[in-house]
């Protein structure tokens, strides 16, 4: 078996788990607590700006308490959620599902998501869910029957259905070509080894023609050779030896 065939035979599909809830009373309570938390968060953000007239500790405390209350509430109703796993469809199936659910000729019937995706978004999502979606219960998954889906679609809330629509189009239409390219480059080419910056080499000093420590007759300046960087102080009253004096 070729490598291409082997990889194709073990192909997996992308998926996204979406929490849905059918208890509308609990959903209303969640909305109220969420709105309270968001309002407290906004007031706290204002209190951090320059020129705020008040004690910023109070908005921070209100935001912290509202956030904690919301988290506790969500944890308490954890068992009220059902989890639907939206699974990617093979490209030909996804295109066929969209082709069977075009936009209505009456534009006044289009939803915001219809405008975004260019098809009847809700009908497309329902058809795709019936083909590949799963119900998740802990570590177990099960494919719902047509009767179960009919019951789900009759009772699901607009917000949860919209979340399913967005998940369905996200996993089926967003292409991660940039990620593929980066992965191939990382596999083919090793990471470059950073080069050390070149060290600055001191320019060698040219020996003076009179020799190290000799003094020029014309200028009276000490000669400098390699390794000598400081001028020697001239002693007061010292004369420079000449050929005549040496004699």
């Amino acid at each position: 078996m070729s490598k291409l065939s082997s990889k194709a035979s073990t192909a997996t599909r992308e998926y996204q788990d979406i929490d849905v809830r059918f208890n509308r009373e609990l959903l209303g309570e969640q909305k109220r607590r969420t709105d309270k938390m968001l309002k407290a968060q906004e007031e706290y953000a204002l209190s951090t700006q320059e020129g705020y007239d008040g004690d910023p500790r109070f908005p921070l405390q209100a935001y912290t308490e509202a956030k904690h209350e919301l988290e506790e509430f969500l944890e308490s109703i954890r068992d009220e959620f059902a989890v639907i796993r939206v699974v990617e469809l093979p490209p030909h199936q996804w295109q066929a599902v969209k082709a069977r659910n075009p936009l209505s000729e009456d534009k006044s019937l289009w939803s915001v998501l219809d405008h975004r995706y260019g098809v009847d978004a809700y009908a497309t999502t329902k058809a795709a869910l019936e083909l590949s979606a799963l119900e998740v219960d802990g570590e177990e998954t099960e494919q719902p029957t047509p009767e179960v889906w009919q019951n789900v679609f009759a009772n699901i809330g607009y917000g949860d259905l919209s979340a399913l629509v967005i998940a369905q189009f996200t996993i089926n239409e967003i292409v991660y070509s940039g990620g593929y390219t980066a992965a191939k480059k990382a596999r083919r080419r090793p990471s470059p080894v950073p080069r050390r910056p070149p060290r600055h080499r001191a320019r060698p000093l040219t020996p003076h023609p009179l020799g190290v420590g000799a003094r020029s007759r014309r200028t009276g300046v000490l000669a400098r050779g390699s390794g000598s960087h400081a001028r020697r102080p001239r002693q007061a009253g010292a004369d420079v030896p000449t050929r005549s004096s040496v004699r």
Side-chain angles (χ1 to χ4, degrees):
M1 180 182 294
S2 69
K3 182 178 180 179
L4 177 62
S5 178
S6 175
K7 295 294 184 183
S9 299
T10 58
T12 59
R13 297 292 174 186
E14 186 181 359
Y15 67 85
Q16 184 174 346
D17 290 341
I18 303 297
D19 293 338
V20 296
R21 187 171 59 252
F22 297 94
N23 188 324
R24 311 306 295 172
E25 292 182 1
L26 291 177
L27 180 59
E29 181 64 20
Q30 178 183 342
K31 287 181 177 179
R32 286 189 291 272
R33 292 177 181 266
T34 301
D35 290 342
K36 179 182 177 181
M37 187 272 293
L38 292 176
K39 184 178 180 181
Q41 184 182 37
E42 183 179 354
E43 292 178 353
Y44 167 63
L46 292 174
S47 71
T48 61
Q49 298 180 5
E50 186 177 357
Y52 175 75
D53 185 15
D55 190 338
R57 292 177 297 177
F58 294 111
L60 174 59
Q61 182 179 358
Y63 167 60
T64 303
E65 291 177 354
K67 181 180 179 182
H68 182 66
E69 290 175 0
L70 175 61
E71 291 173 348
E72 284 189 336
F73 174 76
L74 292 176
E75 184 63 28
S76 68
I77 62 173
R78 181 69 259 179
D79 291 341
E80 296 292 333
F81 286 95
V83 181
I84 296 177
R85 176 164 295 177
V86 181
V87 182
E88 177 188 11
L89 285 171
H92 66 280
Q93 282 190 327
W94 174 244
Q95 295 301 326
V97 169
K98 291 199 300 180
R100 291 195 297 268
N101 295 279
L103 287 169
S104 171
E105 295 182 358
D106 186 356
K107 292 185 178 182
S108 64
L109 299 178
W110 294 5
S111 68
V112 174
L113 294 177
D114 293 342
H115 282 277
R116 177 187 298 182
Y117 298 120
V119 294
D120 187 334
Y122 292 98
T124 299
T125 296
K126 290 177 180 179
L129 291 174
E130 291 179 350
L131 289 174
S132 63
L134 301 171
E135 177 186 356
V136 181
D137 185 7
E139 298 296 328
E140 303 294 328
T141 59
E142 180 182 356
Q143 188 164 18
T145 64
E147 292 75 21
V148 171
W149 282 122
Q150 184 177 1
N151 190 24
V152 168
F153 297 145
N155 294 283
I156 195 170
Y158 182 77
D160 288 342
L161 182 57
S162 297
L164 291 170
V165 171
I166 294 172
Q168 190 77 68
F169 278 83
T170 297
I171 66 174
N172 281 288
E173 300 209 336
I174 293 183
V175 180
Y176 302 97
S177 58
Y180 296 154
T181 304
K184 288 191 291 185
K185 286 183 178 179
R187 182 184 62 185
R188 292 177 180 177
R189 294 189 299 182
S191 302
V193 178
R195 298 179 60 183
R196 292 183 177 179
R199 293 183 176 179
H200 175 71
R201 295 184 178 180
R203 188 174 182 180
L205 298 174
T206 304
H208 196 279
L210 297 179
V212 178
R215 193 185 301 274
S216 171
R217 292 181 180 179
R218 185 172 62 86
T219 63
V221 178
L222 283 171
R224 295 189 303 170
S226 58
S228 175
H229 296 277
R231 296 183 180 181
R232 295 181 181 178
R234 184 173 182 178
Q235 297 179 359
D239 296 328
V240 179
T242 63
R243 290 185 180 179
S244 59
S245 62
V246 172
R247 294 177 186 173

Short mmCIF file of all heavy atoms in Angstrom, two decimals, residues 65-119:
data_model
loop_
_atom_site.label_atom_id
_atom_site.label_comp_id
_atom_site.label_asym_id
_atom_site.label_seq_id
_atom_site.Cartn_x
_atom_site.Cartn_y
_atom_site.Cartn_z
N GLU A 65 -17.40 39.78 42.46
CA GLU A 65 -18.52 39.03 43.02
C GLU A 65 -19.48 38.55 41.92
O GLU A 65 -19.95 37.41 41.96
CB GLU A 65 -19.28 39.91 44.03
CG GLU A 65 -18.49 40.20 45.30
CD GLU A 65 -19.24 41.11 46.24
OE1 GLU A 65 -20.32 41.61 45.84
OE2 GLU A 65 -18.78 41.34 47.38
N ALA A 66 -19.77 39.42 40.95
CA ALA A 66 -20.68 39.03 39.87
C ALA A 66 -20.10 37.90 39.03
O ALA A 66 -20.81 36.97 38.64
CB ALA A 66 -20.98 40.25 38.99
N LYS A 67 -18.81 37.96 38.79
CA LYS A 67 -18.16 36.90 38.01
C LYS A 67 -18.18 35.58 38.77
O LYS A 67 -18.45 34.52 38.19
CB LYS A 67 -16.72 37.31 37.70
CG LYS A 67 -15.95 36.30 36.87
CD LYS A 67 -14.54 36.78 36.61
CE LYS A 67 -13.76 35.73 35.80
NZ LYS A 67 -12.35 36.15 35.57
N HIS A 68 -17.93 35.65 40.08
CA HIS A 68 -17.93 34.43 40.90
C HIS A 68 -19.34 33.82 40.96
O HIS A 68 -19.50 32.60 40.87
CB HIS A 68 -17.45 34.77 42.31
CG HIS A 68 -17.37 33.59 43.22
ND1 HIS A 68 -16.49 32.54 43.02
CD2 HIS A 68 -18.08 33.28 44.35
CE1 HIS A 68 -16.66 31.64 43.98
NE2 HIS A 68 -17.62 32.06 44.80
N GLU A 69 -20.35 34.66 41.08
CA GLU A 69 -21.73 34.16 41.13
C GLU A 69 -22.12 33.47 39.82
O GLU A 69 -22.79 32.43 39.82
CB GLU A 69 -22.69 35.31 41.42
CG GLU A 69 -22.59 35.85 42.84
CD GLU A 69 -23.46 37.07 43.05
OE1 GLU A 69 -24.13 37.48 42.06
OE2 GLU A 69 -23.48 37.63 44.17
N LEU A 70 -21.70 34.05 38.69
CA LEU A 70 -22.01 33.44 37.40
C LEU A 70 -21.32 32.10 37.25
O LEU A 70 -21.93 31.12 36.79
CB LEU A 70 -21.58 34.38 36.27
CG LEU A 70 -21.74 33.84 34.84
CD1 LEU A 70 -23.20 33.52 34.55
CD2 LEU A 70 -21.19 34.84 33.82
N GLU A 71 -20.06 32.02 37.65
CA GLU A 71 -19.33 30.75 37.55
C GLU A 71 -19.96 29.67 38.42
O GLU A 71 -20.07 28.51 38.00
CB GLU A 71 -17.86 30.97 37.95
CG GLU A 71 -17.08 31.82 36.95
CD GLU A 71 -15.69 32.16 37.44
OE1 GLU A 71 -15.42 31.94 38.65
OE2 GLU A 71 -14.87 32.65 36.63
N GLU A 72 -20.38 30.05 39.62
CA GLU A 72 -21.04 29.08 40.50
C GLU A 72 -22.36 28.61 39.92
O GLU A 72 -22.71 27.43 40.00
CB GLU A 72 -21.26 29.70 41.89
CG GLU A 72 -20.01 29.79 42.74
CD GLU A 72 -20.33 30.20 44.17
OE1 GLU A 72 -21.39 30.84 44.37
OE2 GLU A 72 -19.55 29.86 45.09
N PHE A 73 -23.12 29.54 39.32
CA PHE A 73 -24.41 29.18 38.73
C PHE A 73 -24.21 28.20 37.56
O PHE A 73 -24.92 27.20 37.46
CB PHE A 73 -25.13 30.43 38.24
CG PHE A 73 -26.39 30.16 37.49
CD1 PHE A 73 -27.54 29.78 38.16
CD2 PHE A 73 -26.44 30.27 36.11
CE1 PHE A 73 -28.71 29.50 37.47
CE2 PHE A 73 -27.59 30.00 35.41
CZ PHE A 73 -28.74 29.61 36.10
N LEU A 74 -23.24 28.49 36.70
CA LEU A 74 -22.99 27.61 35.55
C LEU A 74 -22.56 26.22 36.01
O LEU A 74 -22.93 25.21 35.41
CB LEU A 74 -21.93 28.22 34.65
CG LEU A 74 -22.33 29.50 33.90
CD1 LEU A 74 -21.15 30.05 33.11
CD2 LEU A 74 -23.52 29.25 32.99
N GLU A 75 -21.78 26.17 37.08
CA GLU A 75 -21.35 24.86 37.59
C GLU A 75 -22.54 24.09 38.17
O GLU A 75 -22.62 22.86 38.03
CB GLU A 75 -20.28 25.08 38.66
CG GLU A 75 -19.69 23.79 39.21
CD GLU A 75 -18.97 22.98 38.15
OE1 GLU A 75 -18.46 23.58 37.18
OE2 GLU A 75 -18.92 21.73 38.29
N SER A 76 -23.48 24.81 38.78
CA SER A 76 -24.62 24.14 39.40
C SER A 76 -25.60 23.56 38.39
O SER A 76 -26.34 22.63 38.70
CB SER A 76 -25.36 25.12 40.32
OG SER A 76 -25.99 26.15 39.57
N ILE A 77 -25.59 24.09 37.17
CA ILE A 77 -26.52 23.60 36.15
C ILE A 77 -25.80 22.78 35.08
O ILE A 77 -26.31 22.58 33.98
CB ILE A 77 -27.29 24.77 35.48
CG1 ILE A 77 -26.32 25.71 34.75
CG2 ILE A 77 -28.10 25.53 36.51
CD1 ILE A 77 -27.01 26.78 33.92
N ARG A 78 -24.59 22.32 35.41
CA ARG A 78 -23.79 21.58 34.46
C ARG A 78 -24.54 20.39 33.89
O ARG A 78 -24.45 20.08 32.69
CB ARG A 78 -22.50 21.14 35.15
CG ARG A 78 -21.51 20.35 34.30
CD ARG A 78 -20.90 21.22 33.24
NE ARG A 78 -21.51 21.02 31.95
CZ ARG A 78 -21.18 21.67 30.85
NH1 ARG A 78 -20.26 22.59 30.88
NH2 ARG A 78 -21.80 21.43 29.72
N ASP A 79 -25.30 19.70 34.70
CA ASP A 79 -26.02 18.50 34.25
C ASP A 79 -27.19 18.85 33.34
O ASP A 79 -27.77 17.93 32.73
CB ASP A 79 -26.52 17.71 35.46
CG ASP A 79 -25.38 17.08 36.24
OD1 ASP A 79 -24.27 16.95 35.68
OD2 ASP A 79 -25.59 16.76 37.43
N GLU A 80 -27.57 20.12 33.29
CA GLU A 80 -28.68 20.51 32.42
C GLU A 80 -28.26 20.64 30.95
O GLU A 80 -29.10 20.76 30.07
CB GLU A 80 -29.27 21.84 32.89
CG GLU A 80 -29.90 21.79 34.26
CD GLU A 80 -31.16 20.94 34.28
OE1 GLU A 80 -31.81 20.82 33.22
OE2 GLU A 80 -31.50 20.41 35.36
N PHE A 81 -26.96 20.63 30.71
CA PHE A 81 -26.48 20.79 29.33
C PHE A 81 -26.48 19.45 28.61
O PHE A 81 -26.24 18.39 29.19
CB PHE A 81 -25.05 21.34 29.32
CG PHE A 81 -24.95 22.79 29.68
CD1 PHE A 81 -24.68 23.18 30.98
CD2 PHE A 81 -25.12 23.77 28.72
CE1 PHE A 81 -24.58 24.51 31.32
CE2 PHE A 81 -25.03 25.10 29.04
CZ PHE A 81 -24.75 25.48 30.35
N ALA A 82 -26.73 19.52 27.31
CA ALA A 82 -26.46 18.40 26.41
C ALA A 82 -25.35 18.86 25.46
O ALA A 82 -25.23 20.05 25.17
CB ALA A 82 -27.71 18.01 25.62
N VAL A 83 -24.54 17.93 25.02
CA VAL A 83 -23.39 18.27 24.17
C VAL A 83 -23.58 17.65 22.80
O VAL A 83 -23.75 16.43 22.67
CB VAL A 83 -22.07 17.79 24.80
CG1 VAL A 83 -20.89 18.20 23.92
CG2 VAL A 83 -21.91 18.36 26.20
N ILE A 84 -23.54 18.52 21.78
CA ILE A 84 -23.62 18.06 20.39
C ILE A 84 -22.25 18.26 19.76
O ILE A 84 -21.70 19.36 19.78
CB ILE A 84 -24.68 18.83 19.60
CG1 ILE A 84 -26.07 18.55 20.18
CG2 ILE A 84 -24.64 18.45 18.12
CD1 ILE A 84 -27.19 19.34 19.51
N ARG A 85 -21.71 17.19 19.22
CA ARG A 85 -20.40 17.26 18.55
C ARG A 85 -20.62 17.48 17.05
O ARG A 85 -21.12 16.60 16.34
CB ARG A 85 -19.59 15.99 18.78
CG ARG A 85 -18.27 15.92 18.03
CD ARG A 85 -17.36 14.85 18.60
NE ARG A 85 -16.98 15.17 19.97
CZ ARG A 85 -16.23 14.36 20.74
NH1 ARG A 85 -15.82 13.20 20.27
NH2 ARG A 85 -15.93 14.73 21.97
N VAL A 86 -20.26 18.66 16.59
CA VAL A 86 -20.38 19.00 15.17
C VAL A 86 -19.15 18.46 14.46
O VAL A 86 -18.02 18.86 14.76
CB VAL A 86 -20.50 20.52 14.98
CG1 VAL A 86 -20.64 20.86 13.50
CG2 VAL A 86 -21.68 21.07 15.77
N VAL A 87 -19.34 17.55 13.52
CA VAL A 87 -18.23 16.85 12.86
C VAL A 87 -18.13 17.31 11.40
O VAL A 87 -19.13 17.45 10.70
CB VAL A 87 -18.42 15.32 12.92
CG1 VAL A 87 -17.23 14.60 12.28
CG2 VAL A 87 -18.60 14.87 14.37
N GLU A 88 -16.91 17.54 10.97
CA GLU A 88 -16.64 17.96 9.60
C GLU A 88 -17.14 16.92 8.61
O GLU A 88 -16.99 15.71 8.81
CB GLU A 88 -15.13 18.15 9.44
CG GLU A 88 -14.68 18.53 8.04
CD GLU A 88 -13.17 18.51 7.92
OE1 GLU A 88 -12.50 18.00 8.85
OE2 GLU A 88 -12.66 18.99 6.89
N LEU A 89 -17.70 17.39 7.52
CA LEU A 89 -18.15 16.51 6.45
C LEU A 89 -17.09 16.43 5.35
O LEU A 89 -16.31 17.37 5.16
CB LEU A 89 -19.44 17.04 5.82
CG LEU A 89 -20.74 16.88 6.61
CD1 LEU A 89 -21.85 17.65 5.93
CD2 LEU A 89 -21.12 15.41 6.71
N PRO A 90 -17.05 15.32 4.59
CA PRO A 90 -16.20 15.29 3.41
C PRO A 90 -16.60 16.43 2.46
O PRO A 90 -17.79 16.77 2.38
CB PRO A 90 -16.48 13.92 2.79
CG PRO A 90 -16.96 13.09 3.93
CD PRO A 90 -17.72 14.04 4.83
N PRO A 91 -15.66 17.04 1.74
CA PRO A 91 -15.98 18.21 0.92
C PRO A 91 -17.14 18.01 -0.05
O PRO A 91 -17.98 18.90 -0.21
CB PRO A 91 -14.66 18.48 0.18
CG PRO A 91 -13.62 17.93 1.08
CD PRO A 91 -14.22 16.72 1.72
N HIS A 92 -17.19 16.85 -0.70
CA HIS A 92 -18.26 16.65 -1.68
C HIS A 92 -19.63 16.59 -1.01
O HIS A 92 -20.63 17.08 -1.57
CB HIS A 92 -18.01 15.37 -2.50
CG HIS A 92 -18.09 14.10 -1.70
ND1 HIS A 92 -17.05 13.65 -0.91
CD2 HIS A 92 -19.10 13.19 -1.56
CE1 HIS A 92 -17.40 12.51 -0.33
NE2 HIS A 92 -18.64 12.21 -0.70
N GLN A 93 -19.69 16.03 0.20
CA GLN A 93 -20.96 15.98 0.92
C GLN A 93 -21.38 17.38 1.38
O GLN A 93 -22.56 17.75 1.30
CB GLN A 93 -20.86 15.06 2.13
CG GLN A 93 -20.95 13.58 1.80
CD GLN A 93 -21.08 12.74 3.05
OE1 GLN A 93 -20.54 13.07 4.10
NE2 GLN A 93 -21.79 11.63 2.94
N TRP A 94 -20.42 18.16 1.86
CA TRP A 94 -20.73 19.51 2.33
C TRP A 94 -21.24 20.39 1.18
O TRP A 94 -22.22 21.12 1.34
CB TRP A 94 -19.48 20.12 2.96
CG TRP A 94 -19.62 21.56 3.35
CD1 TRP A 94 -18.94 22.62 2.85
CD2 TRP A 94 -20.51 22.11 4.33
NE1 TRP A 94 -19.34 23.79 3.43
CE2 TRP A 94 -20.30 23.50 4.35
CE3 TRP A 94 -21.46 21.54 5.19
CZ2 TRP A 94 -21.00 24.35 5.20
CZ3 TRP A 94 -22.17 22.40 6.03
CH2 TRP A 94 -21.94 23.78 6.04
N GLN A 95 -20.60 20.30 0.04
CA GLN A 95 -21.05 21.08 -1.10
C GLN A 95 -22.44 20.64 -1.57
O GLN A 95 -23.25 21.47 -1.97
CB GLN A 95 -20.04 20.95 -2.27
CG GLN A 95 -18.66 21.54 -1.97
CD GLN A 95 -18.73 23.02 -1.62
OE1 GLN A 95 -19.55 23.77 -2.15
NE2 GLN A 95 -17.86 23.46 -0.72
N ALA A 96 -22.71 19.35 -1.50
CA ALA A 96 -24.03 18.84 -1.89
C ALA A 96 -25.10 19.34 -0.93
O ALA A 96 -26.22 19.71 -1.35
CB ALA A 96 -24.01 17.32 -1.94
N VAL A 97 -24.79 19.38 0.36
CA VAL A 97 -25.76 19.87 1.35
C VAL A 97 -26.06 21.34 1.10
O VAL A 97 -27.24 21.76 1.14
CB VAL A 97 -25.20 19.67 2.79
CG1 VAL A 97 -26.07 20.42 3.79
CG2 VAL A 97 -25.17 18.19 3.13
N LYS A 98 -25.05 22.14 0.84
CA LYS A 98 -25.29 23.57 0.56
C LYS A 98 -26.10 23.76 -0.72
O LYS A 98 -26.96 24.65 -0.78
CB LYS A 98 -23.96 24.31 0.46
CG LYS A 98 -23.22 24.42 1.77
CD LYS A 98 -22.18 25.53 1.74
CE LYS A 98 -21.15 25.31 0.66
NZ LYS A 98 -20.15 26.41 0.64
N ALA A 99 -25.81 22.95 -1.72
CA ALA A 99 -26.53 23.09 -2.99
C ALA A 99 -28.02 22.78 -2.82
O ALA A 99 -28.86 23.35 -3.54
CB ALA A 99 -25.92 22.16 -4.03
N ARG A 100 -28.37 21.92 -1.88
CA ARG A 100 -29.78 21.57 -1.66
C ARG A 100 -30.50 22.60 -0.79
O ARG A 100 -31.72 22.49 -0.61
CB ARG A 100 -29.88 20.19 -1.00
CG ARG A 100 -29.46 19.03 -1.89
CD ARG A 100 -29.92 17.70 -1.33
NE ARG A 100 -29.31 17.41 -0.03
CZ ARG A 100 -28.18 16.73 0.14
NH1 ARG A 100 -27.54 16.26 -0.92
NH2 ARG A 100 -27.71 16.48 1.34
N ASN A 101 -29.77 23.58 -0.26
CA ASN A 101 -30.39 24.57 0.63
C ASN A 101 -29.99 26.00 0.23
O ASN A 101 -29.31 26.70 1.00
CB ASN A 101 -29.97 24.29 2.08
CG ASN A 101 -30.50 22.95 2.57
OD1 ASN A 101 -31.65 22.83 2.97
ND2 ASN A 101 -29.63 21.95 2.55
N PRO A 102 -30.42 26.43 -0.95
CA PRO A 102 -30.06 27.78 -1.40
C PRO A 102 -30.86 28.85 -0.63
O PRO A 102 -31.80 28.54 0.10
CB PRO A 102 -30.45 27.76 -2.87
CG PRO A 102 -31.58 26.80 -2.94
CD PRO A 102 -31.27 25.72 -1.94
N LEU A 103 -30.46 30.09 -0.83
CA LEU A 103 -31.17 31.22 -0.22
C LEU A 103 -32.57 31.36 -0.81
O LEU A 103 -32.80 31.04 -1.98
CB LEU A 103 -30.39 32.51 -0.45
CG LEU A 103 -29.10 32.69 0.36
CD1 LEU A 103 -28.31 33.87 -0.18
CD2 LEU A 103 -29.43 32.88 1.84
N SER A 104 -33.46 31.84 0.01
CA SER A 104 -34.82 32.13 -0.47
C SER A 104 -34.78 33.30 -1.44
O SER A 104 -33.94 34.21 -1.34
CB SER A 104 -35.72 32.47 0.72
OG SER A 104 -36.97 32.95 0.27
N GLU A 105 -35.70 33.28 -2.42
CA GLU A 105 -35.77 34.40 -3.36
C GLU A 105 -36.27 35.67 -2.68
O GLU A 105 -36.02 36.77 -3.16
CB GLU A 105 -36.70 34.03 -4.53
CG GLU A 105 -36.16 32.88 -5.39
CD GLU A 105 -37.07 32.58 -6.56
OE1 GLU A 105 -38.14 33.25 -6.66
OE2 GLU A 105 -36.75 31.69 -7.36
N ASP A 106 -36.97 35.51 -1.58
CA ASP A 106 -37.45 36.66 -0.80
C ASP A 106 -36.36 37.07 0.19
O ASP A 106 -36.14 36.42 1.22
CB ASP A 106 -38.73 36.28 -0.06
CG ASP A 106 -39.37 37.46 0.66
OD1 ASP A 106 -38.77 38.57 0.65
OD2 ASP A 106 -40.46 37.29 1.26
N LYS A 107 -35.64 38.15 -0.11
CA LYS A 107 -34.53 38.57 0.73
C LYS A 107 -34.96 39.01 2.13
O LYS A 107 -34.15 39.03 3.05
CB LYS A 107 -33.77 39.72 0.05
CG LYS A 107 -33.04 39.29 -1.22
CD LYS A 107 -32.21 40.45 -1.78
CE LYS A 107 -31.45 40.02 -3.03
NZ LYS A 107 -30.60 41.11 -3.57
N SER A 108 -36.24 39.35 2.27
CA SER A 108 -36.71 39.76 3.60
C SER A 108 -36.70 38.59 4.58
O SER A 108 -36.78 38.80 5.79
CB SER A 108 -38.12 40.34 3.50
OG SER A 108 -39.05 39.35 3.07
N LEU A 109 -36.60 37.37 4.07
CA LEU A 109 -36.58 36.19 4.93
C LEU A 109 -35.16 35.79 5.33
O LEU A 109 -34.99 34.88 6.14
CB LEU A 109 -37.26 35.02 4.21
CG LEU A 109 -38.74 35.21 3.83
CD1 LEU A 109 -39.26 33.99 3.09
CD2 LEU A 109 -39.58 35.48 5.07
N TRP A 110 -34.18 36.47 4.78
CA TRP A 110 -32.80 36.10 5.08
C TRP A 110 -32.42 36.51 6.51
O TRP A 110 -32.74 37.62 6.96
CB TRP A 110 -31.84 36.78 4.11
CG TRP A 110 -31.95 36.32 2.70
CD1 TRP A 110 -32.87 35.44 2.19
CD2 TRP A 110 -31.14 36.73 1.59
NE1 TRP A 110 -32.69 35.28 0.84
CE2 TRP A 110 -31.62 36.06 0.45
CE3 TRP A 110 -30.06 37.59 1.47
CZ2 TRP A 110 -31.04 36.23 -0.81
CZ3 TRP A 110 -29.48 37.76 0.22
CH2 TRP A 110 -29.97 37.08 -0.90
N SER A 111 -31.74 35.62 7.19
CA SER A 111 -31.21 35.94 8.51
C SER A 111 -29.82 36.55 8.37
O SER A 111 -29.26 36.60 7.27
CB SER A 111 -31.12 34.67 9.37
OG SER A 111 -30.12 33.79 8.85
N VAL A 112 -29.28 37.00 9.47
CA VAL A 112 -27.92 37.55 9.45
C VAL A 112 -26.93 36.49 8.99
O VAL A 112 -26.01 36.78 8.20
CB VAL A 112 -27.54 38.06 10.86
CG1 VAL A 112 -26.08 38.49 10.90
CG2 VAL A 112 -28.44 39.22 11.28
N LEU A 113 -27.11 35.25 9.44
CA LEU A 113 -26.20 34.18 9.04
C LEU A 113 -26.41 33.77 7.59
O LEU A 113 -25.46 33.32 6.93
CB LEU A 113 -26.38 32.97 9.97
CG LEU A 113 -25.97 33.22 11.43
CD1 LEU A 113 -26.26 32.00 12.29
CD2 LEU A 113 -24.50 33.60 11.52
N ASP A 114 -27.62 33.93 7.06
CA ASP A 114 -27.84 33.70 5.63
C ASP A 114 -27.02 34.68 4.80
O ASP A 114 -26.39 34.30 3.80
CB ASP A 114 -29.33 33.85 5.28
CG ASP A 114 -30.19 32.76 5.90
OD1 ASP A 114 -29.62 31.72 6.31
OD2 ASP A 114 -31.41 32.96 5.99
N HIS A 115 -27.02 35.94 5.21
CA HIS A 115 -26.23 36.96 4.52
C HIS A 115 -24.74 36.62 4.60
O HIS A 115 -24.00 36.82 3.63
CB HIS A 115 -26.48 38.34 5.14
CG HIS A 115 -27.76 38.98 4.71
ND1 HIS A 115 -27.88 39.68 3.52
CD2 HIS A 115 -28.99 39.03 5.30
CE1 HIS A 115 -29.11 40.13 3.40
NE2 HIS A 115 -29.81 39.76 4.47
N ARG A 116 -24.30 36.13 5.75
CA ARG A 116 -22.87 35.87 5.93
C ARG A 116 -22.39 34.71 5.07
O ARG A 116 -21.31 34.78 4.46
CB ARG A 116 -22.57 35.57 7.40
CG ARG A 116 -21.11 35.22 7.67
CD ARG A 116 -20.87 34.76 9.09
NE ARG A 116 -21.19 35.78 10.07
CZ ARG A 116 -21.02 35.63 11.38
NH1 ARG A 116 -20.55 34.46 11.85
NH2 ARG A 116 -21.33 36.59 12.22
N TYR A 117 -23.17 33.63 5.02
CA TYR A 117 -22.69 32.41 4.38
C TYR A 117 -23.22 32.19 2.96
O TYR A 117 -22.74 31.30 2.26
CB TYR A 117 -23.03 31.20 5.25
CG TYR A 117 -22.36 31.25 6.60
CD1 TYR A 117 -23.12 31.27 7.77
CD2 TYR A 117 -20.97 31.29 6.72
CE1 TYR A 117 -22.51 31.31 9.02
CE2 TYR A 117 -20.35 31.34 7.96
CZ TYR A 117 -21.13 31.35 9.11
OH TYR A 117 -20.52 31.40 10.33
N GLY A 118 -24.20 32.97 2.55
CA GLY A 118 -24.67 32.87 1.17
C GLY A 118 -25.57 31.69 0.86
O GLY A 118 -25.80 31.37 -0.31
N VAL A 119 -26.07 31.01 1.90
CA VAL A 119 -27.02 29.90 1.73
C VAL A 119 -28.03 30.00 2.86
O VAL A 119 -27.92 30.85 3.75
CB VAL A 119 -26.32 28.52 1.77
CG1 VAL A 119 -25.39 28.33 0.58
CG2 VAL A 119 -25.56 28.34 3.08
#
